[in-house]
Amino acid sequence: MMRKDLNLIIRNGHVIDPSQGIDGKGALLVEGGKIKEVFQDSGFGIQADSTYEIIDAGGLYVLPGLVDMHVHLREPGYEYKETIKTGTMAAVRGGFTSVCCMPNTKPVNDNETVTEFILRKAYAEGACYVYTIGAITKGQKGEELAEMGMMREAGCVAFSDDGLPVMNSLLMRRALEYSKVFGVTIISHAEDLNLSSGGVMNEGPLSLRLGLRGIPVEAEVIAIKRDIELAALTGGRLHIAHVSTAGGVRAIREAKRDGIEVTAEPVRITLPLQRKQYVITIPMQR
Amino acid sequence: MSETGQQLRNKDIVGIKDLSCDEIELILNTAVGFRDVLRRDIKKVPTLRGKTVVNLFFEPSTRTRTSFELAAKRLSTDVINFSVSASSMVKGESLIDTAMTIQALGADIVIIRHSSSGVPHLLARHLNASVINAGDGINEHPTQALLDAFTIMEKYSRIKGLKIAIVGDILHSRVAKSNIYCLRTLGAEVRLIGPPTLIPEGLIDPDIEIFHSMEEGLRDIDVVMMLRIQMERQDRGFFPTTDEYFRFWGLTLERLSLARPGAMVMHPGPMNRGIEIVSAVADSPQSVILEQVTNGIAARMAVLYLLSGRRG
């Protein structure tokens, strides 16, 4: 994906690089496909010959390539929704140079053959770096562990039954324990399926008024708290996907304070919609 | 054979946990004499003539039961095999009643195997006869550890200071537990290798080293003790598949080459070839798996002899 022949100057932009504490007017000098220097001024003074492409980023932000650790490329099996090619093109359009794709493909990415297929396809057709997330359980059925070790060797970077929780607490314990051999994170879709059963939106006066079945916040909070307890028991690394409840955030904050290996991400699409209630796949919570 | 007149302290052997270093050494030294008996043309001594030994097995077993039976016969005892399906247990008789009945029939030594941990201990308290634990639940299997120690002694003439790796399902293995107690009491450096689902870190003595990687754990090892993957276990899911288990924890020639040259390979049997061990290793000159079986008789003869001798 790196163009070794690329010489480029990006100037007059607003450069942000948290790793170096840069957040202000700046310019980049790229030589042979690699960032050679970051300037903390507009960069109009950079000397360069005609082999350099120049981009004026006036009024724009210049960011490091972003990483999206939760995408669905849908291939194999659901190419009518998305392919590795279209998904990675969309990622690059949005500034993402690396994506981690969830395993809910058809067949499910629960063995090294599927992992190898995705990575080979991504290498050939992808517009950005693709990392695979393997399923925790075979067929995402929540019944038996998938071959996490073999998938790790094939290239999986984390494991998740995304879209579904591992409802069986014993199996979740085993997954967190077993994942330690390979030093990989277990990503949890935290939802108690019995509590949320049939629900399509946040449970409250609005759901009643709309005549829709609601989901209580506890469906997520209880699942998050269970997973945190299991992470503490096993010492496994836990990541909670798409947290949407205040109770969940409180539980994660407390767990981090206690030194438990847990990280989390918000539901990004709902961040601009705070305090409103919409019906989406992951219902807004309070 | 115990010329020194040394004795075991208790009438029973229910676990290695309860044995001192001196007692374990007494058993191992006594077994040396019986091993010599087994090498003779006539493999039988009259030592325990007139004694009665009962095999009381509540779990299926071929090798351990046969080994005990043969050990008892080599000592000229009368042996009765009492298997659960043929017993009154199916008629609802309690465990203790069954054992008391066997004692009333005149048993001097009762050898018991049961799927519940602690059953031999319970019966040992109720019976005047000696009780030998032939495996209780996931707790202990003391005679297996004794025969393993004996087999190691045969090759290395010592146990103290040896580096010994136990590989596999530590959590459910009574063989592993008895071996850990036995080898540590005798001064070996024991390490455990396997997936964390089968080696509960928090439950194991903090000075026993745990490895999740065979490549790391087998380095510089003198003895590799493989455990059987118990595929019949109801409560599955400790690892994804036997294929994956083999990929990461199977004992292959490449992995064995990381241990000390000529390191000894042990397995309590029955083996799952291609799952925890490859045939090339199981059948290699480094493997002592069949010696273990032979030595099992000598070790069990020693135990029977010492327990009988105890009461004169």
Side-chain angles (χ1 to χ4, degrees):
Chain A
M1 259 141 261
M2 187 179 83
R3 276 177 54 195
K4 288 207 174 116
D5 58 339
L6 180 70
N7 291 337
L8 174 70
I9 294 166
I10 302 170
R11 63 191 186 194
N12 200 27
H14 182 116
V15 176
I16 296 178
D17 181 2
S19 73
Q20 298 187 67
I22 296 171
D23 181 4
K25 208 62 159 158
L28 295 187
L29 174 66
V30 177
E31 272 180 20
K34 283 190 171 173
I35 296 170
K36 189 155 181 250
E37 208 173 336
V38 181
F39 298 88
Q40 308 239 27
D41 58 52
S42 298
F44 286 110
I46 302 170
Q47 299 294 317
D49 58 36
S50 61
T51 65
Y52 283 76
E53 195 182 321
I54 294 175
I55 294 174
D56 190 313
L60 303 175
Y61 286 107
V62 181
L63 309 174
L66 299 175
V67 179
D68 191 335
M69 61 174 287
H70 192 137
V71 306
H72 298 269
L73 295 178
R74 307 297 178 194
E75 194 177 350
Y78 301 103
E79 287 83 353
Y80 65 94
K81 293 183 178 179
E82 183 87 271
T83 63
I84 289 167
K85 189 173 181 181
T86 62
T88 53
M89 282 169 70
V92 169
R93 185 72 184 85
F96 288 83
T97 52
S98 302
V99 298
C100 304
C101 58
M102 283 295 174
N104 54 346
T105 47
K106 192 171 79 182
V108 170
N109 183 12
D110 64 359
N111 64 74
E112 57 183 345
T113 310
V114 179
T115 303
E116 279 163 8
F117 168 82
I118 294 169
L119 290 176
R120 204 167 55 241
K121 202 95 200 264
Y123 186 76
E125 299 176 9
C128 68
Y129 294 108
V130 172
Y131 299 93
T132 49
I133 294 172
I136 298 171
T137 66
K138 284 178 203 159
Q140 292 183 290
K141 290 196 178 124
E143 291 164 1
E144 291 171 90
L145 289 183
E147 292 172 332
M148 287 162 57
M150 294 197 201
M151 282 191 279
R152 172 77 184 121
E153 285 196 336
C156 283
V157 294
F159 292 90
S160 180
D161 271 3
D162 186 55
L164 291 166
V166 177
M167 278 293 283
N168 181 333
S169 303
L170 176 62
L171 199 60
M172 189 63 171
R173 173 196 180 163
R174 297 261 165 80
L176 282 161
E177 261 171 354
Y178 193 71
S179 66
K180 290 199 299 179
V181 180
F182 309 103
V184 287
T185 300
I186 297 290
I187 302 174
S188 167
H189 171 114
E191 176 182 354
D192 184 311
L193 291 177
N194 296 317
L195 275 172
S196 64
S197 173
V200 293
M201 68 173 291
N202 191 37
E203 183 177 281
L206 186 61
S207 65
L208 194 67
R209 206 164 74 229
L210 292 173
L212 294 172
R213 207 180 285 274
I215 300 174
V217 292
E218 287 72 15
E220 179 177 290
V221 178
I222 286 171
I224 289 176
K225 287 185 172 174
R226 182 204 71 166
D227 287 346
I228 286 170
E229 292 295 332
L230 292 175
L233 170 69
T234 59
R237 266 187 2 222
L238 174 70
H239 178 82
I240 310 287
H242 41 62
V243 177
S244 71
T245 58
V249 172
R250 278 194 296 271
I252 292 159
R253 186 184 294 137
E254 200 177 305
K256 279 171 172 270
R257 202 182 295 142
D258 294 344
I260 298 165
E261 288 246 36
V262 57
T263 52
E265 84 211 12
V267 187
R268 289 149 298 172
I269 43 177
T270 65
L271 284 179
L273 311 176
Q274 281 171 37
R275 295 181 197 291
K276 295 187 183 165
Q277 299 197 11
Y278 287 81
V279 179
I280 53 171
T281 317
I282 303 150
M284 288 283 293
Q285 304 284 15
R286 52 179 186 270
Chain B
M1 268 144 221
S2 119
E3 297 84 354
T4 56
Q6 281 176 284
Q7 285 202 340
L8 299 175
R9 287 172 302 169
N10 299 313
K11 75 173 173 72
D12 314 292
I13 292 186
V14 290
I16 299 286
K17 255 193 298 261
D18 313 314
L19 296 178
S20 67
C21 188
D22 285 345
E23 286 176 305
I24 294 172
E25 282 173 354
L26 171 63
I27 296 168
L28 298 182
N29 291 336
T30 308
V32 175
F34 288 122
R35 182 199 53 201
D36 297 341
V37 168
L38 295 172
R39 287 176 180 169
R40 294 182 200 154
D41 275 349
I42 296 170
K43 301 176 173 57
K44 193 160 181 158
V45 287
T47 319
L48 297 186
R49 197 162 51 196
K51 299 277 185 188
T52 304
V53 174
V54 176
N55 269 327
L56 182 55
F57 277 58
F58 293 94
E59 246 187 17
S61 159
T62 309
R63 42 185 73 215
T64 303
R65 191 187 53 71
T66 309
S67 178
F68 268 113
E69 184 176 346
L70 214 46
K73 284 179 170 164
R74 298 289 191 229
L75 290 166
S76 303
T77 68
D78 297 313
V79 192
I80 296 157
N81 288 313
F82 198 96
S83 79
V84 70
S85 56
S87 83
S88 299
M89 293 295 290
V90 291
K91 299 175 193 161
E93 190 177 42
S94 88
L95 186 68
I96 293 169
D97 286 340
T98 302
M100 295 298 274
T101 304
I102 285 166
Q103 177 166 274
L105 288 170
D108 298 293
I109 297 179
V110 179
I111 298 158
I112 181 157
R113 167 171 287 192
H114 200 284
S115 59
S116 294
S117 305
V119 166
H121 309 67
L122 176 73
L123 295 188
R125 282 202 302 275
H126 281 84
L127 299 183
N128 296 321
S130 289
V131 172
I132 300 175
N133 180 359
D136 66 322
I138 59 168
N139 180 40
E140 280 222 48
H141 190 355
T143 55
Q144 178 71 42
L146 292 167
L147 77 88
D148 286 342
F150 182 78
T151 307
I152 297 169
M153 285 289 286
E154 266 199 321
K155 169 163 175 169
Y156 290 102
S157 310
R158 70 187 166 101
I159 286 189
K160 201 176 171 66
L162 290 181
K163 286 191 172 135
I164 301 176
I166 306 179
V167 184
D169 185 353
I170 309 294
L171 180 62
H172 301 104
S173 173
R174 49 198 178 205
V175 173
K177 279 164 206 144
S178 285
N179 264 310
I180 292 169
Y181 299 130
C182 185
L183 296 170
R184 277 168 59 86
T185 302
L186 296 173
E189 189 186 305
V190 177
R191 50 171 77 170
L192 308 176
I193 311 175
T197 42
L198 297 175
I199 308 182
E201 222 161 307
L203 309 183
I204 286 164
D205 206 331
D207 60 336
I208 295 183
E209 261 195 297
I210 296 174
F211 292 87
H212 300 315
S213 148
M214 285 287 265
E215 282 72 17
E216 289 167 27
L218 289 177
R219 246 167 241 295
D220 300 327
I221 281 295
D222 298 294
V223 179
V224 191
M225 208 175 252
M226 301 304 294
L227 297 172
R228 199 169 82 83
I229 285 302
Q230 304 184 40
M231 292 188 294
E232 73 277 16
R233 195 163 279 291
Q234 286 297 301
D235 180 18
R236 287 188 193 173
F238 291 92
F239 50 87
T241 57
T242 50
D243 280 359
E244 173 145 325
Y245 187 89
F246 175 72
R247 172 94 67 103
F248 293 96
W249 294 283
L251 186 61
T252 58
L253 281 175
E254 296 74 39
R255 285 183 174 142
L256 182 59
S257 70
L258 300 169
R260 286 256 167 86
M264 188 167 164
V265 177
M266 308 181 80
H267 193 299
M271 277 184 281
N272 298 300
R273 289 172 186 259
I275 294 174
E276 71 257 4
I277 190 166
V278 296
S279 290
V281 172
D283 304 332
S284 76
Q286 282 168 263
S287 158
V288 294
I289 294 168
L290 293 175
E291 281 94 315
Q292 286 174 271
V293 176
T294 311
N295 290 338
I297 302 171
R300 288 176 177 124
M301 284 170 84
V303 166
L304 290 168
Y305 169 78
L306 288 168
L307 288 180
S308 302
R310 209 190 148 271
R311 287 184 322 254

